[in-house]
Amino acid sequence: MSAAWLPVLPVVAPLLAAPLWLVVRRPQVAWWGSMAVGAVAFAAAAALLVTVLRNGPVDYAFGGWPPPIGIAYRIDLLGAFVLVLVSGVSWVVSWAGGRGVEREVDEPRRALFFSAYLLCLAGLSGMVLTGDLFNLFVFLEISSLSTYVLVAAGRDRRALPASFRYLIMGTVGATFVLIGIGLLYAGTGTLNMADLAARLPEAFDRRAVHTGIVFLIVGIAIKAALFPLHHWLPDAYARAPGVVSAFLAATATKVAIYVFIRVVFFVFGAQATLEALAVQHTLTALAAAAVVFGSWAALRQDDTKRLLAYSSVAQIGYIVLGLMLADVAGLQAGLTHLFNHALMKGALFLALVAVVYHGGGQRLSDLAGLGARMPLTAAVIVIGGLSLIGVPLTAGFVGKWLLVEAAAAKGAWWLIAVVVVGSVFALGYVGRMLEALYFRAPAAQGGAGIAEAPLGLLVPALVLAAANLYFGIDTRLSAGLAGRVAAALGGAG
Amino acid sequence: MSVEYGLTLTLLAFMLLAAWALARSDDLLAAVMLAGIISLASAAVFTVMDAVDVAFTEAAVGAGVATLLSVRALGVLGERRAAGRARVGLPFLVVLVCGGLLLYGTADLPAYGDPAAPAMQHVAPHYLARGGVETGVPNIVTAVLASYRGFDTFGELVVIFTAGLGVLTLLAGSGVSGARSEVDAGDRDIIVRQVVKWLVPFVLLFALYVQFHGDYGPGGGFQAGVIFAAGMVLYALTFGLPRLERVLPPSRLRLLAATGVWLYGGVGVACLLRGGAFLDYAVLAEDAVDGQHLGILLVELGVGLTVFSVMVLIYRAFTRQRHGGVE
Amino acid sequence: MSAVVDGLAWAAIGLGVFVCFSGAFGLLRFPDFYSRLHAAGVTDTLGAGLVLLGLMLQAGWSLAAAKLALILLFAWVSGPTASHVLARAARHDGLEPWTGAEGRRR
Amino acid sequence: MNGVAHAWLIVALMMSGLYIVMASAHLFKKLIGLSVFQVSVFMLYISLGVVEGAAPPIVEPGVDAYSNPLPHVLILTAIVVGIATMALALALLVRIRRAYGTLDEAALAAKDEDA
């Protein structure tokens, strides 16, 4: 395959495949086809990462028009790293799609469900790769619209208002991004990110530029569900079909945070933005609040999916805390945790899909006694849970440890306290799940049909759980790469 | 102050009045109409601001399609009034902060119509000076839309496709099929029937004109698709949905919607196969400008196809819904 | 362009604007739905017609004038049809015309 | 001399849209507010590209000053995104109304409490 195809393949392949399932309305065909396309996208992403590691950043000019006249991709190590994560996890999660939709999506919606899945993947990949601010907005909307569809595709009626609320919040967020882009354009006359970065220093004293930066950051923060703009997240994740929760938890908020990194560190220049506009202090405080509030709220949930969703709010806090240290160590910690959190939440949400498959519920009490009946699923929950707490030898430990180190190096002791408090809460909410799994008797005799889930669900869950263990021990791909990215960013900022 | 600026300010003040009425009104139909009025007034503002393509689109989409769909949906929903208690405190605070920030941010913008503004300096002059020569298309908006920023437009097409797909997904299996008087009969009034029978061919002809004249004047695939769909909807309103479905069965509309996306993406892939970048139309023909012209023509056709079929599919999906009621 | 044509054009536009204004005034002040519809109909046909005629005189023999003529034709077909449909819908809903017997109604 | 008064009015309109989105208790009205919010953002963009006394950006011999075409292109895309969002939201409302029998936010929340 020619190198000219590589940068466009992860986006264009799913975009061109998605309309197929509107014409061929066979769920099984759609599922297999989507997995094949997911494999292509993942392979292309991996090849891109290798290329970038070998030869440095890849530039791609759409339509042959050089930037800033045309739209261009500039794929650096950070972009390739996040793209591999997104396309990889979404591919593994899509394996579970075939079985997952059987229980949670009505027949006439199943084939179209996979179209929306592919569109969402394409939107997220486009956001990662693009080097153009307005193109970012377009792909943000592709991913958002398909996400609203995915969330509401299931049988739970509560998903409908949840999706609508997400739509309203998400559109307000996207419109904020649009306002931000417009004001930046008014101040500089360009939409290309690299060009903008070059032209900003001389335009930085324009008020339109300040306001544009603030609106852009707030809009992205809504998409990233950063406290206190997280209101859409718990309901959307808890009511969506399980496969969708796994997909979104592993990818959507991650991409939003990636965009944040790209915009703040590459385009605006970390120093100027963080100091001049007091962004750093505000976001650090909000991220710390996210950790404490999210973890505490997770502790109070009775619904397992809501529990995990609130835990996500907390994890986003950890990631942003790392980023806002704004040095190489902090960035490395944030990026590592971003990578690992995708693996944890993917595994945990998929395990819950397996629990529901044979008629189990999603309350904590529904987990009772499953440790014996569904040993493999329970094992996935154990591994994912331990990783979430941050127990050594799991992936979750690595990111938190790096964060503590980075904070200690800067003497930010209160930040370590926040991490400890969050982890203690995590011990609490994960403990409640494990206690129900292993030490509680099944509620009634009624659940006799409950047995281990089919392989179609177990395999992807186990793969992600195994990844949690693997990246807890071998950190070259996660923390190692994150370190290289952070070093590059440190140079840029 | 120039006359144009005064006109803009007057229109904006008028829109603000409408928005105020909208905020106070409990009547949902009135709210839809007021939003339509604001949208139509904004189309007038766009015209004053020389954005003829945008004005055209906003009038067709914001004032036309959005109002049509909203009224349809209101009928299906069976809701008339927004009776619930509004929240005041937090929204007011947020609006105050955001509005204050925006006023701060726009205060040192260059004055309205200033040719020395930063936005006019960097990229835009290239489009205006070279666009006509490099693409062979005198309407620079079309040149930028379909060629310089053709990848954005591909994304935009996918957004519309996603919306159609989403509406079909959400409303799948909940529609009404078979004979239903209201949907089927259309309008029995002889005046309406005669007028529509004469009008529809001209609407379709106009749509084709807009599709293929977009290189030289305002228009293009998107506007053409919307107008073509409007012609079809007018036909269905008058003669009943079944008559339209005989000509355009839903399966064919779905195929057309997909085909539009494939046509646009296919042109991109063809450019790749011929050794150019994605959507680099210059490689499509011997002469670069000829290639640009061909590429722009094809992708605009793709846009028109998908927009038209998605609009009709969405209209059909709403019309086929049972009215009111609870599951 | 001769001064005569120019004067005629402005006269037509001015008269058209006056008719539109009076139509809007009637829309606000007339006592019931049907008479208001009548006022609105005047705006559609005579008002818009005069303005378009004035513009055509300004444009002279050109493509723009032909387009304006087409718009005029369209307005003359669609406007009365829309008024007809509105009035019919109101009648269908049982709205009685105002006869002056029971005072103003809204 | 022109100023930035148009921006004040546009911001006011924008904020009334945002206010309707947040303050309304009825989901349908929130959606209407959202479209007003978006339309005013469109006008902000287009106003950035106006050049006094210039022609629309359609190249003609003998004309040398045009308005900036780039905001026009961006807003064409944004208008399409807006109608796409609206169509999807209306479909969601149809499903919500059918499942709950109401579109009032408080009533919706109450119905899920006792479920």
Side-chain angles (χ1 to χ4, degrees), chain A residues 16 63 69 109 132 135 195, chain B residues 105 122 127 149 152 169 262 278:
Chain A
L16 288 181
I69 302 297
R109 300 202 175 96
D132 187 280
N135 194 241
D195 194 32
Chain B
H122 185 43
Y127 296 139
R149 299 190 67 87
D152 265 356
T169 311
W262 287 329
F278 192 73

Side-chain angles (χ1 to χ4, degrees), chain C residues 27-33 36 95 98 103-106:
Chain C
L27 193 67
L28 285 172
R29 300 291 300 166
F30 278 176
D32 83 325
F33 175 81
R36 285 176 187 200
L95 187 66
W98 179 71
R104 280 179 69 99
R105 108 165 87 165
R106 289 186 60 82

Side-chain angles (χ1 to χ4, degrees), chain A residues 12-47:
Chain A
V12 170
L15 279 187
L16 288 181
L20 270 174
W21 319 139
L22 192 65
V23 181
V24 186
R25 309 235 275 176
R26 304 262 297 276
Q28 283 293 316
V29 179
W31 175 49
W32 282 104
S34 301
M35 285 201 297
V37 175
V40 170
F42 178 51

Side-chain angles (χ1 to χ4, degrees), chain A residues 6 26 40 94 146 150 401 427:
Chain A
L6 269 188
R26 304 262 297 276
V40 170
S94 77
S146 44
L150 287 174
W401 180 249
L427 192 64

Side-chain angles (χ1 to χ4, degrees), chain A residues 131-418:
Chain A
D132 187 280
L133 275 181
F134 197 81
N135 194 241
L136 174 79
F137 167 77
V138 172
F139 278 83
L140 170 75
E141 285 290 8
I142 294 178
S143 75
S144 300
L145 285 181
S146 44
T147 304
Y148 311 142
V149 178
L150 287 174
V151 168
R155 289 194 179 125
D156 188 345
R157 75 167 185 178
R158 290 171 298 180
L160 299 169
S163 173
F164 188 82
R165 237 167 274 140
Y166 184 14
L167 183 144
I168 295 285
M169 277 290 267
T171 307
V172 169
T175 310
F176 271 42
V177 169
L178 194 62
I179 296 173
I181 295 171
L183 289 174
L184 285 170
Y185 176 71
T188 61
T190 187
L191 294 166
N192 182 278
M193 292 184 192
D195 194 32
L196 189 64
R199 295 173 69 85
L200 258 185
E202 60 171 294
F204 204 83
D205 54 342
R206 294 206 175 105
R207 286 169 169 199
V209 170
H210 301 174
T211 314
I213 291 174
V214 171
F215 269 85
L216 203 55
I217 289 179
V218 172
I220 297 168
I222 292 180
K223 281 288 167 185
L226 180 66
F227 180 87
L229 301 170
H230 66 279
H231 283 287
W232 57 269
L233 185 140
D235 274 341
Y237 282 16
R239 308 305 176 208
V243 178
V244 175
S245 311
F247 176 41
L248 292 182
T251 58
T253 46
K254 307 295 169 292
V255 170
I257 290 174
Y258 160 84
V259 170
F260 174 78
I261 298 173
R262 175 149 230 86
V263 165
V264 168
F265 288 88
F266 278 99
V267 180
F268 301 158
Q271 286 302 316
T273 319
L274 297 178
E275 284 165 17
L277 300 176
V279 169
Q280 189 171 16
H281 295 300
T282 317
L283 287 187
T284 306
L286 290 181
V291 170
V292 176
F293 165 82
S295 307
W296 178 75
L299 201 56
R300 292 163 40 93
Q301 298 304 316
D302 186 42
D303 180 306
T304 46
K305 279 169 88 178
R306 274 182 85 87
L307 183 154
L308 291 182
Y310 273 109
S311 153
S312 278
V313 173
Q315 308 300 322
I316 291 159
Y318 288 119
I319 298 170
V320 176
L321 273 183
L323 301 179
M324 283 301 112
L325 285 173
D327 56 8
V328 174
L331 283 170
Q332 185 191 13
L335 285 170
T336 309
H337 201 61
L338 183 145
F339 183 90
N340 291 330
H341 178 235
L343 301 177
M344 302 173 214
K345 279 290 151 61
L348 282 167
F349 273 115
L350 279 187
L352 293 183
V353 178
V355 170
V356 201
Y357 185 80
H358 281 300
Q362 60 183 60
R363 296 190 168 277
L364 268 177
S365 53
D366 294 318
L367 292 181
L370 291 188
R373 289 183 176 183
M374 305 178 73
L376 288 174
T377 306
V380 173
I381 299 183
V382 171
I383 295 170
L386 293 181
S387 195
L388 211 48
I389 302 170
V391 174
L393 296 183
T394 61
F397 170 74
V398 184
K400 277 191 184 169
W401 180 249
L402 287 173
L403 182 58
V404 168
E405 271 190 343
K410 274 215 166 176
W413 299 107
W414 66 274
L415 209 151
I416 298 177
V418 168

Side-chain angles (χ1 to χ4, degrees), chain A residues 78-101:
Chain A
L78 173 65
F81 173 71
V82 176
L83 185 71
V84 166
L85 174 74
V86 167
S87 56
V89 176
S90 72
W91 182 47
V92 174
V93 171
S94 77
W95 300 351
R99 288 301 183 141
V101 296

Side-chain angles (χ1 to χ4, degrees), chain B residues 102-283:
Chain B
L102 277 171
L103 286 182
Y104 164 84
T106 50
D108 73 344
L109 277 184
Y112 179 88
D114 183 359
M120 311 294 175
Q121 297 311 319
H122 185 43
V123 182
H126 177 95
Y127 296 139
L128 288 168
R130 307 278 312 143
V133 185
E134 286 177 347
T135 64
V137 171
N139 183 353
I140 303 299
V141 173
T142 302
V144 178
L145 186 91
S147 186
Y148 293 107
R149 299 190 67 87
F151 192 57
D152 265 356
T153 308
F154 184 41
E156 164 194 346
L157 184 64
V158 172
V159 167
I160 263 293
F161 177 82
T162 309
L165 180 102
V167 171
L168 291 187
T169 311
L170 290 171
L171 299 181
S174 65
V176 180
S177 52
R180 268 182 18 97
S181 56
E182 189 184 338
V183 176
D184 295 340
D187 198 322
R188 297 205 177 284
D189 189 297
I190 186 160
I191 296 178
V192 175
R193 285 199 164 214
Q194 286 301 319
V195 167
V196 168
K197 202 160 104 186
W198 281 94
L199 217 50
V200 166
F202 287 103
V203 174
L204 301 188
L205 192 67
F206 180 57
L208 291 177
Y209 170 79
V210 171
Q211 170 84 49
F212 294 108
H213 197 258
D215 297 2
Y216 305 101
F222 188 77
Q223 294 94 328
V226 169
I227 295 170
F228 212 89
M232 293 297 171
V233 167
L234 187 61
Y235 183 79
L237 274 173
T238 315
F239 297 100
L241 203 49
R243 288 261 303 256
L244 179 66
E245 286 174 358
R246 234 176 292 153
V247 190
L248 281 170
S251 59
R252 192 171 304 162
L253 284 171
R254 287 197 296 266
L255 182 63
L256 281 177
T259 307
V261 177
W262 287 329
L263 182 57
Y264 204 129
V267 170
V269 173
C271 298
L272 278 177
L273 289 174
R274 291 179 69 103
F278 192 73
L279 296 175
D280 183 359
Y281 313 133
V283 299

